[in-house]
Amino acid sequence: MIPRVVAHELRASWRDGTTVVSWLAVLTMLALSLAVHSRRHAQAVADHARQREELRQEWLGQGESSPHSAGHFGTFVHRVPPPLAAIDPGVDPFVGSSVRIEAHVQHDFKFRAAADEGASRSFGFLSPALVLQLLAPLLVLLGAALRFGGERERGTLGLLLFSAPSPGRLVAGKSLASASAILALVTPLALGGWMAADSANERAALGWMTVAYALYLGAFAGLGAWLGLASRDQSRALLGAVVLWVATCLLVPRLASEFASQRHPLPSRAEFEASVEAGHAEGIDGHNPEDARRKELESKVLAQYGVSELKDLPVNFGGIVMQAEEEHRAKVHEREFGELWSTLAAQESTVTGFSLVSPLCALRPVSMALAGTDVPAALDFARAAADYRIEFIGFLNDLEAHEIDEKKRPKMVGTETWSRVAEFEPPDRPLAERLAPNRTSLVALFAWCAAAWLAVASRLKRWTP
Amino acid sequence: MHWIAELRLLARETALVPAAALLAALSAFAVWGGLDWLEARERVAQETRAEHKRDLAWVAEGFAALARGERVRRDPSNPMNAVGRVRPVVVEPSPALLWSATGTRELHPPAWAATDRRVGELPPDEPRSPSLLANGRFDLDFLVTLLLPWFAILLAHRLASGERESGRWAMLTGHARRPWLVISRRAALGAAVLAASATCAVALTLLARGRATGDALAGLAAWSGVVLLVLAFWTALALAVGALGRSSTFNLGVLAFAWVLLCWAIPVATAELAVAVHPTEDRTAIARRARSESGALWQRRGEIARQTFASHGFDSAEIESALADKTRAGDIERLAFSLEFPRQLGSHSAELDAQRERRHKLEALAVFASPAFAAHAALLDIAGSAPRHRRALEDQAQLEFERWKLALIRRVVARDALEATEYDALFELATAQAVELPPTRSPWLALGAWAVAALLGAWFFVARSAPDRLLRRT
């Protein structure tokens, strides 16, 4: 019975011109977005690899220089988009692609791709994730609402219920037809992701991502089925489906964003910079010989080496003072950026709280986390860049202190020294770390799916012609 | 009386009243969010000015110390010291309806600081959650462009088919000589109620804020015009689809497809197309190139000083004498370098700027491919948040930077000491209010054309659908 119902439903969908056109349109968008993003991702990876190599050569080839000048010359570290960014670019276009590494200053991310885009970016980025998050639910909702609501309007419900062994089997057949629709939507995602994934970790993430999207679309299929069963006629079921889609996929996510930014306001750039500056002012100023804290450090170092004048020190005091300044500034940066990042995390968590009202608010963080394109991934990179900066400048200050003779000029080190500076290694987040903060969202997705289908089951008894 | 009766009928038969109430509530929420955003931006602009004032604290302290006959580390009367201390900033203009559409302003700070070190790069952004940026703002632009069409669709898609499905079409054709006129009248009434709901919060806000000036009223009129055109297009499209004589289900399916195509697929695909056709170089690569070439530029600083000052009309004899003076040559060269370096950086990003311009031009054509994009472009224009407004701000920041720097350089070259009172004037010079741009016509023409085309289409299909044919399909 059930396979016959499934076959009948699929045949009926195939014969309906509007359904076929809609499916073709969505699948075309999905294929197009996969092709566009896979190409863009491949270009970005190649571009980052080239820039990384060029930066290394630039660093190694800077010639003789003073370590502190080299610190000001600095370098850039790049964020290579993870493989599954081809499926879900997440926040990547909004966080920038590189961080400048320089003495004295911890820079934020720079050069957000979205900043160079035009007005049409307000409509979103054409990515496979967006197609599945926004368009696929509409298709699944309308399909399920028509599938379950159409029988009553056509007058075939009585006949079906009479001929079927039980309404449950009939509904099971129709549900399987909806499930096959979901399968048709997530298969291109899984195939595209499989081609992009380059490690077992990424493939496992892709598996979870496919499950998350299946749950998400399953929830909408259940809601559509429930609307079809509960509505008096097909037209009302469809109306309900459209209203539900507009509310959960368009309205609530943006309202959630507004609410989160109101509830956890971020400081302005000027406030943030003033706070960082105030923190800096509490420590040593490496470039000001009159600074009191510098004098204090000077006395301490002189006492440590048992000499009375700087010129008698076996090390270069300039390097020591610069490192002391860096260490103080690193603490300030950690504190100030930490506060900023915890506010960002609070905003994220507020938006996730809206998962109870919209499954999209539950899916988005999961999808971005699994793709490695969420805010925590960007912050991990920022932390790694900050740690690298401390190591990078620390090495140069150490050179300044131990390999530069204060009494001799020019205060240069040889070109071979630069190869001793380690290259930046971007952090790699294992799957468990990506999933851990998003357990609630995954549970919410499962709850949405289960609740929708439980509602369908509870409605079955009242399903009468 | 007919109109009132129709309105009552419409309110009873459709969800017009709750829909209008919901729309008004959403509009009010969008206005509230927009005002909050505006307040934050105004605060940032004020803080930037305050930061400048703070930067000038050393001026007062320095002059006071000089008056006491003390030695100062940084002499404020020396114009050279002012060069690197005060950063010229251009504050964005504040049109009356700025809060109605955030557009690309969301990604850029309200005040553009031009400094000789980083002028080729984008200014530092305001801290904002990237995930909220990716989600997008709930502003009036979003409401009008993407949500309002749904209100029109849900209201109008079953105006005719609903009559047929409830079996009242025959009654309607029996009583009214032109039943489609009745249906169209209902649609127009519904659209008018929705337009009033969407607009009331904006109008009340302008009144409450005491900003009902001529400009504000013109902005409000333009904004209401966009709302009316959007509603006219979608209502007319719904009527045209309804005139095909199929079921409400079919109408809703077709209109949902039209929404996806016109409000989402075309604008998004246009953005992708613009990026694919006009790719830009990575900004990091540009910054790196400029950084590595700055060394070579610095080596030629003497030559650059002569060229730069000559191009700005300085007396060559005066420059030569300044360069010959060892105590001043370094300062003069540094100043010339600081004037020329941003130009060099600008030349590095010239190709990127040109590609960006081409992208925007290509995107501007999308107004003729999507009414939603046309409405979006018109709303951004009213709010002054379109990409062209940002470009104008960037250009002005560059010009102000040169103006400010030249004013100081003239003083340095002439060895003209600065007075304490002059700093206020210098500060005003350094914080310029950006000019407002006149509106563009193309989004309006496109949106008007879309609405007229939909109205003509509706008239055509309605005229073709004879009542008896529709009756047969009932």
Side-chain angles (χ1 to χ4, degrees), chain A residues 303-364:
Chain A
Q304 186 189 340
Y305 285 95
V307 290
S308 56
E309 283 191 62
L310 284 180
K311 66 180 170 55
D312 299 325
L313 278 175
V315 291
N316 180 0
F317 181 66
I320 294 173
V321 81
M322 289 294 175
Q323 184 57 21
E325 184 200 74
E326 285 299 344
E327 280 167 12
H328 170 73
R329 288 190 171 203
K331 278 183 200 152
V332 173
H333 290 148
E334 198 179 328
R335 185 184 70 213
E336 296 299 330
F337 277 95
E339 272 177 30
L340 190 71
W341 292 341
S342 61
T343 313
L344 289 183
Q347 287 188 342
E348 294 281 304
S349 140
T350 306
V351 172
T352 311
F354 278 78
S355 305
L356 290 174
V357 197
S358 157
L360 185 54
C361 289
L363 177 73
R364 260 192 189 149

Side-chain angles (χ1 to χ4, degrees), chain A residues 301-452:
Chain A
V301 173
L302 290 176
Q304 186 189 340
Y305 285 95
V307 290
S308 56
E309 283 191 62
L310 284 180
K311 66 180 170 55
D312 299 325
L313 278 175
V315 291
N316 180 0
F317 181 66
I320 294 173
V321 81
M322 289 294 175
Q323 184 57 21
E325 184 200 74
E326 285 299 344
E327 280 167 12
H328 170 73
R329 288 190 171 203
K331 278 183 200 152
V332 173
H333 290 148
E334 198 179 328
R335 185 184 70 213
E336 296 299 330
F337 277 95
E339 272 177 30
L340 190 71
W341 292 341
S342 61
T343 313
L344 289 183
Q347 287 188 342
E348 294 281 304
S349 140
T350 306
V351 172
T352 311
F354 278 78
S355 305
L356 290 174
V357 197
S358 157
L360 185 54
C361 289
L363 177 73
R364 260 192 189 149
V366 174
S367 172
M368 290 193 293
L370 290 167
T373 55
D374 58 345
V375 173
L379 296 186
D380 264 9
F381 181 84
R383 274 187 208 102
D387 291 346
Y388 177 69
R389 194 188 80 81
I390 293 165
E391 190 189 326
F392 180 90
I393 302 299
F395 174 80
L396 295 175
N397 285 335
D398 195 52
L399 279 182
E400 185 86 29
H402 298 102
E403 295 187 24
I404 292 284
D405 187 348
E406 182 65 19
K407 295 177 273 295
K408 285 184 187 166
R409 283 186 190 273
K411 301 179 204 171
M412 302 281 200
V413 289
T415 49
E416 71 289 347
T417 318
W418 309 130
S419 60
R420 283 159 56 198
V421 176
E423 275 194 85
F424 174 71
E425 285 304 327
D428 187 22
R429 295 174 82 220
L431 180 62
E433 263 182 47
R434 298 187 203 179
L435 276 175
N438 292 292
R439 274 194 209 117
T440 325
S441 300
L442 269 172
V443 170
L445 277 177
F446 180 78
W448 264 102
C449 191

Side-chain angles (χ1 to χ4, degrees), chain A residues 2-54:
Chain A
I2 294 174
R4 273 180 26 216
V5 175
V6 176
H8 168 76
E9 289 295 329
L10 294 180
R11 213 164 32 237
S13 300
W14 180 250
R15 282 178 189 155
D16 182 24
T18 320
T19 311
V20 171
V21 169
S22 310
W23 271 92
L24 277 178
V26 171
L27 288 173
T28 308
M29 292 288 275
L30 197 55
L32 198 70
S33 59
L34 258 173
V36 166
H37 273 270
S38 300
R39 186 170 163 265
R40 192 169 297 165
H41 178 259
Q43 271 177 350
V45 170
D47 192 45
H48 280 105
R50 183 180 50 79
Q51 289 218 44
R52 187 185 157 115
E53 183 54 32
E54 282 174 7

Side-chain angles (χ1 to χ4, degrees), chain A residues 48 55 74-79 95-102 105-111 337 341 378-379 381-389 424, chain B residues 284:
Chain A
H48 280 105
L55 275 165
T75 188
F76 287 90
V77 291
H78 282 276
R79 182 155 186 264
V95 290
S97 56
S98 63
V99 176
R100 172 112 166 83
I101 302 292
E102 192 184 4
V105 196
Q106 181 177 319
H107 290 283
D108 207 350
F109 273 109
K110 275 204 170 296
F111 314 127
F337 277 95
W341 292 341
L379 296 186
F381 181 84
R383 274 187 208 102
D387 291 346
Y388 177 69
R389 194 188 80 81
F424 174 71
Chain B
T284 313

Side-chain angles (χ1 to χ4, degrees), chain A residues 40 51 54 58 73-74 98 115-116 119-120 126 238 254-255 257-258 262 268-269 347-348 364, chain B residues 29 36 47 107 125-126 129 131 135 137-138 249 263-264 268 271-272 283-284 288 291 363 376 390:
Chain A
R40 192 169 297 165
Q51 289 218 44
E54 282 174 7
E58 194 179 82
F73 180 69
S98 63
D116 282 327
S120 53
L126 177 65
L238 217 60
R254 294 218 184 198
L255 287 177
S257 289
E258 288 301 318
Q262 297 284 339
S268 68
R269 169 66 56 186
Q347 287 188 342
E348 294 281 304
R364 260 192 189 149
Chain B
F29 181 78
D36 189 68
E47 277 164 5
L107 293 163
D125 319 300
E126 284 304 304
S129 163
S131 116
N135 258 3
R137 280 202 84 95
F138 187 92
T249 310
C263 291
W264 189 77
V268 166
E272 294 296 340
R283 275 190 182 269
T284 313
R288 270 181 44 218
R291 185 181 63 143
E363 278 191 357
H376 175 62
R390 186 164 64 83

Side-chain angles (χ1 to χ4, degrees), chain A residues 246-322:
Chain A
V246 170
T248 54
C249 293
L250 292 182
L251 196 59
V252 174
R254 294 218 184 198
L255 287 177
S257 289
E258 288 301 318
F259 184 73
S261 56
Q262 297 284 339
R263 195 167 171 207
H264 303 287
L266 286 162
S268 68
R269 169 66 56 186
E271 280 169 349
F272 179 73
E273 283 180 355
S275 189
V276 172
E277 282 300 316
H280 286 173
E282 288 165 10
I284 289 177
D285 181 353
H287 283 297
N288 182 7
E290 303 301 319
D291 182 50
R293 291 184 193 86
R294 185 190 165 111
K295 299 267 182 209
E296 203 178 305
L297 179 71
E298 192 181 307
S299 324
K300 208 189 279 178
V301 173
L302 290 176
Q304 186 189 340
Y305 285 95
V307 290
S308 56
E309 283 191 62
L310 284 180
K311 66 180 170 55
D312 299 325
L313 278 175
V315 291
N316 180 0
F317 181 66
I320 294 173
V321 81
M322 289 294 175

Side-chain angles (χ1 to χ4, degrees), chain B residues 37-366:
Chain B
W37 172 77
L38 179 68
E39 196 185 307
R41 283 183 88 79
E42 282 174 351
R43 202 173 57 236
V44 168
Q46 277 168 7
E47 277 164 5
T48 311
R49 289 175 75 89
E51 196 187 347
H52 273 195
K53 288 274 187 197
R54 272 199 306 276
D55 281 353
L56 289 178
W58 63 274
V59 176
E61 287 164 15
F63 278 117
L66 286 175
R68 290 193 300 270
E70 293 170 12
R71 199 172 149 262
V72 286
R73 190 170 158 228
R74 204 185 296 137
D75 180 1
S77 66
N78 180 357
M80 191 63 203
N81 282 333
V83 173
R85 298 287 154 195
V86 183
R87 289 175 299 166
V89 163
V90 176
V91 181
E92 68 181 5
S94 200
L97 286 172
L98 170 63
W99 40 273
S100 66
T102 50
T104 50
R105 284 189 195 229
E106 187 73 292
L107 293 163
H108 302 287
W112 282 67
T115 64
D116 41 353
R117 279 187 69 209
R118 296 198 184 95
V119 75
E121 303 173 4
L122 295 172
D125 319 300
E126 284 304 304
R128 180 105 167 89
S129 163
S131 116
L132 301 195
L133 283 172
N135 258 3
R137 280 202 84 95
F138 187 92
D139 57 3
L140 287 168
D141 174 29
F142 166 72
L143 184 74
V144 173
T145 314
L146 297 177
L147 286 188
L148 194 59
W150 279 113
F151 281 88
I153 289 171
L154 295 178
L155 177 84
H157 81 280
R158 62 194 308 271
L159 279 180
S161 54
E163 292 292 325
R164 285 196 300 273
E165 283 157 12
S166 60
R168 289 195 306 247
W169 186 257
M171 204 164 70
L172 194 67
T173 48
H175 282 81
R177 279 176 61 209
R178 294 157 79 184
W180 273 104
L181 196 63
V182 177
I183 298 291
S184 307
R185 197 189 293 158
R186 282 182 198 167
L189 272 171
V193 171
L194 289 179
S197 305
T199 315
C200 64
V202 180
L204 287 174
T205 307
L206 280 179
L207 285 172
R209 280 167 56 88
R211 295 282 300 267
T213 57
D215 281 354
L217 292 177
L220 178 64
W223 194 85
S224 313
V226 174
V227 169
L228 279 174
L229 287 172
V230 168
L231 284 169
F233 173 78
W234 285 101
T235 312
L237 189 68
L239 282 181
V241 173
L244 295 175
R246 304 281 288 266
S247 65
S248 301
T249 310
F250 174 82
N251 293 350
L252 192 56
V254 169
L255 290 167
F257 187 77
W259 183 93
V260 168
L261 187 72
L262 298 175
C263 291
W264 189 77
I266 291 177
V268 166
T270 307
E272 294 296 340
L273 185 72
V275 171
V277 174
H278 301 299
T280 53
E281 192 181 2
D282 187 85
R283 275 190 182 269
T284 313
I286 296 171
R288 270 181 44 218
R289 211 168 49 238
R291 185 181 63 143
S292 58
E293 285 180 18
S294 66
L297 197 67
W298 179 246
Q299 297 301 321
R300 299 191 295 116
R301 58 190 182 277
E303 181 196 334
I304 283 169
R306 285 180 184 86
Q307 285 169 3
T308 307
F309 289 132
S311 70
H312 287 290
F314 280 80
D315 179 12
S316 59
E318 197 178 10
I319 294 301
E320 285 303 330
S321 105
L323 286 171
D325 181 352
K326 280 190 180 172
T327 56
R328 296 170 63 211
D331 283 353
I332 300 291
E333 284 172 354
R334 231 184 345 264
L335 284 173
F337 181 77
S338 73
L339 202 59
E340 187 56 23
F341 185 51
R343 280 176 182 274
Q344 294 285 332
L345 286 182
S347 74
H348 284 295
S349 58
E351 180 53 26
L352 184 142
D353 291 339
Q355 286 289 72
R356 209 169 51 161
E357 190 74 15
R358 285 181 205 120
R359 271 185 195 177
H360 296 164
K361 277 185 184 157
L362 183 65
E363 278 191 357
L365 292 176

